[in-house]
């Protein structure tokens, strides 16, 4: 495990920078989608030329909406991908496999079934667009971050939230590991990188590396302080976990038909 | 008023186009914000050079969040603007005037107080960025749409929603007028223009001119059919209207301190 003494250099507070926005390519489609029940964000990304699309963190109850949006935009859903095995909602991947011709994607380390298992350094492609994969465990063992350097965006799942982070008190949670992965793999991305989390509970929709390095109330602290904060959150047992995790182990449906 | 017989040429269904995304300028900041209670979207736009910012359709309960976000991003809020006098929530403009040095903006035709009254063809500026104003009455008499040709975005308020539109059965609502303004002023914008509404109730966050021209279940119909649909919605009396409209007439607070 990581040594606490090695982390003090992470705690410098950056000055406010006047960063340029990284514009999307003209052949890149981006849509953010929301589930009000679990405050989950789903993301639709696509290539305007080949019409190949991916969905990140789809929600079971909205699989129909998401498949319809792909149809409306004349997109072929290639992958329905998760950042991790969620405990607060059932993933839409299983239903989307039935509604479209997509394949499900999740990290090997998640322990969940999927058509495609990914690991650190793997790349997911749709059309000419690419998402690099970083292993960012800490909230769960299988947490990954999807990153597009060209579009200047990263999908951080529950690893890094806007002014917050995922809890680390269940599902192999490890606050030291989360801290190190955020600092080593997310905070080292270009400061203007727009970060899109799996959730927000205050109506914020995105943040940047720069903002979280300056303003995250937990992750700007030292590792010792961070671990103490995470150890003392005293959060209630997640109400959906006993239903969501077994379902998410099999792509969101208990009996997944072979495709 | 508009003649029904003149509208049939609006009803052609466009084919699916493979449109290019209009990228944001690198000196343009865009953030979408959400109020889960009224499903209202608020928008923060800013110039990265001058740090001048505007908020479109802020919500009373989130004025603190929105002022904090401006501070976090080192932005000076110039205008807190409304697309119309809302009936479903109290605007945040009054509180934002107290929390920041902003001025409130609304259309003259709304009948509401504001520091700045705007009309069709007026332009709102923040830094080097501009928003053109179109009068798009129909949901209310004072509804306006803010449009940036450079960024390829328009803020349609309740005039045009994603696969829907605002109701026309209260507050000077007029379905013929709404239909004509959508067709003449919004559907004539470039097809790839990204449309950001004041609300969505299904977790969708934006649409395009092209999508709504092809897929809006109400506005792809003839005027006669549209009017019939709007006449038969049988929606309940808006629960917030008796509180929201009087408050919104005075920028969201009943006793607005002079600035």
């Amino acid at each position: 495990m990581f040594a606490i003494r090695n982390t003090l250099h992470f705690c410098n507070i950056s000055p406010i920078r006047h960063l340029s926005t990284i514009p999307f390519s003209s052949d890149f489609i981006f849509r953010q989608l929301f589930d009000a029940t679990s405050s989950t964000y789903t993301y639709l990304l696509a290539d305007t030329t080949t019409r190949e699309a991916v969905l990140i963190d789809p929600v079971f109850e909205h699989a129909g909406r998401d498949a319809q949006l792909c149809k409306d935009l004349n997109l072929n859903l290639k992958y329905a991908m998760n950042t991790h095995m969620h405990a607060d909602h059932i993933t839409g991947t299983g239903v989307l496999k039935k509604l479209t011709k997509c394949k499900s994607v999740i990290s090997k380390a998640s322990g969940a079934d999927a058509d495609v298992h990914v690991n650190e350094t793997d790349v997911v492609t749709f059309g000419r667009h690419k998402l690099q994969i970083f292993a960012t465990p800490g909230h769960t063992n299988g947490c990954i971050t999807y990153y597009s350097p060209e579009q200047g965006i990263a999908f951080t799942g529950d690893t890094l939230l806007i002014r917050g982070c995922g809890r680390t008190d269940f599902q192999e949670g490890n606050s030291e590991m989360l801290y190190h992965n955020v600092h080593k793999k997310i905070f080292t991305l270009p400061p203007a990188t727009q970060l899109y989390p799996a959730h927000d509970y205050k109506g914020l929709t995105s943040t940047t590396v720069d903002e979280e390095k300056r303003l995250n109330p937990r992750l700007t602290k030292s590792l010792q302080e961070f671990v103490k904060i995470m150890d003392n959150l005293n959060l209630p047992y997640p109400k959906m976990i006993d239903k969501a995790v077994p379902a998410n182990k099999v792509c969101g449906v208990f009996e997944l038909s072979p495709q």
Side-chain angles (χ1 to χ4, degrees), chain A residues 34-143:
Chain A
F34 187 59
D35 169 52
T37 306
S38 61
S39 298
T40 300
Y41 286 123
T42 297
Y43 301 93
L44 175 68
L45 316 179
D47 183 303
T48 62
T49 310
T50 65
R51 314 311 291 177
E52 280 188 337
V54 298
L55 275 166
I56 299 174
D57 288 335
V59 172
F60 181 85
E61 290 80 0
H62 296 295
R65 174 197 68 185
D66 300 348
Q68 182 63 46
L69 184 58
C70 290
K71 197 176 168 194
D72 286 356
L73 299 177
N74 194 27
L75 300 174
N76 302 311
L77 188 63
K78 186 178 181 186
Y79 296 125
M81 328 201 293
N82 279 299
T83 52
H84 64 293
M85 196 159 63
H86 303 277
D88 59 347
H89 67 274
I90 297 175
T91 177
T93 51
V95 187
L96 285 161
K97 277 167 60 80
K98 293 174 194 285
L99 295 175
T100 72
K101 291 176 181 170
C102 75
K103 290 185 184 298
S104 58
V105 177
I106 200 163
S107 73
K108 180 74 179 164
S110 70
D113 288 349
D115 297 313
V116 181
H117 277 128
V118 289
N119 298 295
E120 173 105 351
T121 74
D122 283 347
V123 174
V124 172
T125 63
F126 49 104
R128 73 158 194 88
H129 297 289
K130 292 178 172 59
L131 289 168
Q132 297 175 5
I133 289 159
F134 301 137
T136 48
H139 169 63
T140 72
N141 268 351
C143 286

Side-chain angles (χ1 to χ4, degrees), chain A residues 202-241:
Chain A
K202 294 179 181 171
L204 298 164
T205 56
S206 70
T207 183
T208 61
V209 168
D210 174 66
E211 273 170 71
E212 296 311 313
K213 280 174 78 171
R214 287 191 291 112
L215 302 164
N216 191 294
R218 297 178 184 172
L219 285 149
T220 48
K221 300 283 194 298
S222 71
L223 174 60
Q224 294 96 324
E225 289 172 290
F226 177 76
V227 170
K228 198 172 168 187
I229 290 167
M230 298 307 286
D231 283 348
N232 289 287
L233 292 179
N234 298 316
L235 296 169
Y237 187 72
K239 59 185 175 189
M240 273 290 286
I241 192 168

